[in-house]
Structure formats: C-alpha cells, structure tokens
Amino acid sequence: MNVLRNRLGFALRESGQALERLGCVWQGINSHAEEITRWHPTENAGYKVPQVASSSWIAPSAQVSGDVQVGNNCSIWYNCTVRGDNHHVEIGHNTNLQDGVSVGSLSPSSSSTKVGSGVSVGHGAVLQGCTVEDNVLIGMNAVLRDGVKVRRAERCQRGDAPMLAVTIVQAFVEAAAAAQVDTMFWHAASGLCTAN
C-alpha cells in the first residue's frame, strides 16, 4: 500500500510541474520558465540564467540563481545562496563556498560581486557587492559589504565586518609575515589590525 501511495504521489507531483509549464507557455509567460532539476539547483531570475562549469559541484540544498558565472572545479556547499538577481556575480576557478555562505547584492544600488580563483569562503560568511581577489581565505561568519575589496593572498578572520567602501590593504599580510604571526585581526570599529 505504501509503495502504491508513493508512486501515485510522485506521478501527481510530476503532472503538476508539467501543467505549470504548459500554462506558462500558453499565457506567453516565458520569463518564468525555470531550468531546475533535482541534481543541479540553479534557477533563472527573469531572463538571467546561471552559467556553471560542468566540472563544478553544487550541493542539492544550495541555490544559484540569476546572472551568476561559476568557474571550473568550484564547490558550492549545503545551504549556500548565490544570487545574481540585482547584479552580476562572478566566481573564479577552484573556489569553495562552504555551508551557509551568502553571495550577491542586496539592492539595485549595490555593485556586482566578484570572487576570484583559489578562494575559500568559510561557513556562514556574507559577501555582498564586494570584490575578493585570487588566493584569499575568508573566515567563518565574516561579512563583506558593498565596496569592500580584499586583496590577493589575504585573510579575513572569523566575524570580521569591514565597513562600507573600505579597502583591506596588502600591508596587513606583509606585517604578519614580517612579525612571523599566524593570525591578524582587522577591527572594523577602529580600523586597526592587531596580531594574536
């Protein structure tokens, strides 16, 4: 009995999706036609279609929608959202967005978001309207807002929240290397960088 109920439920769901597509075509609402499958969670936003390299992997619970370009060998893990509905989002090659990362822009007045190649973005980080260059580590729960630019080979530590239109300078990483310090923290409130 359970097998029959399971099969009937599956058939009804598939029929509903087919009727939805047919109704949209008959009404001429082609902008709502979604290219979404159970294995590749990407979605159109109007006429903007995500471009994802075939060698990249997107977790089933992640969502990639709109004007998004994902490079080769990337991984977008569980519960991530990459939204290109307001502005273009570009993710370079060999980049990893860990669980719960949010990438995109909040409003039409923000700028586009660019994440370079070889970047690792930690769990729960938020990247909105910012630029992250190549070979950067973004720590867990970091928040990078509009206008922030993280230079090549830098790290934003857990909980960092750079202010609007602030550029994180290469001197922080160079100072850490000169002082032989593993971890440096940039404090948004004071604008100072301290070693730990």
Side-chain angles (χ1 to χ4, degrees), residues 20-86:
E20 172 68 19
R21 287 190 297 271
L22 179 63
C24 285
V25 169
W26 282 358
Q27 287 183 315
I29 308 175
N30 295 326
S31 64
H32 297 292
E34 295 178 337
E35 294 179 15
I36 186 167
T37 68
R38 292 177 184 86
W39 303 280
H40 205 61
T42 61
E43 185 175 324
N44 297 357
Y47 292 107
K48 301 172 183 174
V49 180
Q51 304 295 319
V52 180
S54 61
S55 61
S56 291
W57 180 78
I58 301 174
S61 64
Q63 185 66 49
V64 177
S65 64
D67 188 9
V68 176
Q69 182 179 358
V70 179
N72 295 321
N73 302 317
C74 292
S75 59
I76 299 175
W77 290 87
Y78 300 94
N79 300 320
C80 286
T81 55
V82 181
R83 294 183 53 184
D85 47 357
N86 286 319

Side-chain angles (χ1 to χ4, degrees), residues 88-99:
H88 178 71
V89 174
E90 182 180 343
I91 298 174
H93 308 296
N94 304 312
T95 293
N96 144 13
L97 304 181
Q98 296 172 12
D99 303 82

Side-chain angles (χ1 to χ4, degrees), residues 1-180:
M1 185 66 174
N2 284 340
V3 172
L4 178 63
R5 189 171 24 178
N6 189 4
R7 296 284 186 190
L8 182 60
F10 178 78
L12 287 173
R13 286 178 53 220
E14 292 294 318
S15 299
Q17 289 176 2
L19 287 172
E20 172 68 19
R21 287 190 297 271
L22 179 63
C24 285
V25 169
W26 282 358
Q27 287 183 315
I29 308 175
N30 295 326
S31 64
H32 297 292
E34 295 178 337
E35 294 179 15
I36 186 167
T37 68
R38 292 177 184 86
W39 303 280
H40 205 61
T42 61
E43 185 175 324
N44 297 357
Y47 292 107
K48 301 172 183 174
V49 180
Q51 304 295 319
V52 180
S54 61
S55 61
S56 291
W57 180 78
I58 301 174
S61 64
Q63 185 66 49
V64 177
S65 64
D67 188 9
V68 176
Q69 182 179 358
V70 179
N72 295 321
N73 302 317
C74 292
S75 59
I76 299 175
W77 290 87
Y78 300 94
N79 300 320
C80 286
T81 55
V82 181
R83 294 183 53 184
D85 47 357
N86 286 319
H87 291 284
H88 178 71
V89 174
E90 182 180 343
I91 298 174
H93 308 296
N94 304 312
T95 293
N96 144 13
L97 304 181
Q98 296 172 12
D99 303 82
V101 170
S102 175
V103 180
S105 58
L106 286 177
S107 68
S109 61
S110 337
S111 56
S112 62
T113 304
K114 183 177 188 294
V115 180
S117 297
V119 174
S120 183
V121 182
H123 298 76
V126 177
L127 284 67
Q128 297 172 347
C130 62
T131 300
V132 178
E133 293 184 354
D134 297 343
N135 303 319
V136 172
L137 171 64
I138 304 295
M140 295 170 57
N141 298 320
V143 178
L144 304 178
R145 297 292 304 265
D146 293 321
V148 169
K149 185 172 186 178
V150 180
R151 302 251 184 234
R152 183 180 180 90
E154 288 190 354
R155 294 187 292 175
C156 285
Q157 297 297 323
R158 177 179 172 179
D160 279 359
M163 303 298 258
L164 181 67
V166 172
T167 299
I168 300 173
V169 295
Q170 181 69 24
F172 290 166
V173 172
E174 292 169 0
Q180 296 179 345

